[in-house]
Amino acid sequence: MNFTVLTLFPELIENAMNTSICKRAMEKGYISLDTIDIRDFAENKNGRVDDYTYGGGAGMLMQAGPVYSAYKEACRRLNKEKAYAVYMTPQGRVFDQRVAEELAQHEDLVIICGHYEGIDERALEEIGTDNISIGDYVLTGGEIASLAVMDCVSRLVPGVLGNETSASDESFSSEGLLEYPQYTRPEVWHDRKVPDVLLSGHHANIEKWRHEQSLIRTRERRPDLLKED
Ligand code: 6GU
């Protein structure tokens, strides 16, 4: 999986991705990250990439030219005529595990992070972006949202997690249930004991208990997940 992020804050993206599992995945070559600073494609001498909106109203908009030039540069680096592009916007389809699995099928993802009040619509139309939101709230820019998407997609790339079962066992697995509670040593902590069944060594009973706990937990915390879709 090759991520290319178009952003005004390339350092934020690089720093966040150079941590933990994503860092190791890059070192091992399972994923790669390239950032393109949209400001490098400013069409004036002072490096501005925003301007007032036609029709008036508050706030500035990112201009079509610099965003489109940055996208073409991404395509050039990827040796592709048209690379799959995702625009991070609260107006997009809401990101979930299913969208993550879909995005993980692409070899290259160009992720566009907007700022100010957004991006001139013509650039987005010309590129033909897939529009993605990470939830119904508003962030100041697409960068933090892009990091959530890249982190989530990365752990679906074969090899990244090492242990192949751990991605599918977790919350939002194919069964759509939350994960069961887990425990590690010590056996007793603050007078709280690890459930006996987990110490029994009886694997069928352990599996049954875990499935029951998943159901209880989902019913309590996310009853919406139990509704048929
Ligand atoms: Cl993708 N971008 C911004 N700016 N705000 C958001 C978002 C994205 N998803 C939820 N809120």
Side-chain angles (χ1 to χ4, degrees), residues 87-92 112 114-116 131-146 149:
Y87 173 45
M88 303 311 307
T89 168
Q91 299 175 14
I112 304 171
H115 254 267
Y116 314 110
N131 304 311
I132 290 185
S133 162
I134 61 163
D136 292 336
Y137 45 82
V138 181
L139 302 170
T140 57
E143 281 76 14
I144 289 172
S146 79
V149 168

Side-chain angles (χ1 to χ4, degrees), residues 8 27 32 34 47 61 94 101-102 138-139 150 160 172 206 208 225 229:
L8 292 174
E27 288 166 353
S32 71
D34 191 12
L61 205 61
V94 178
E101 276 160 19
E102 182 191 317
V138 181
L139 302 170
M150 288 189 286
V160 169
F172 306 117
I206 290 171
K208 182 165 170 283
L225 295 178
D229 60 355

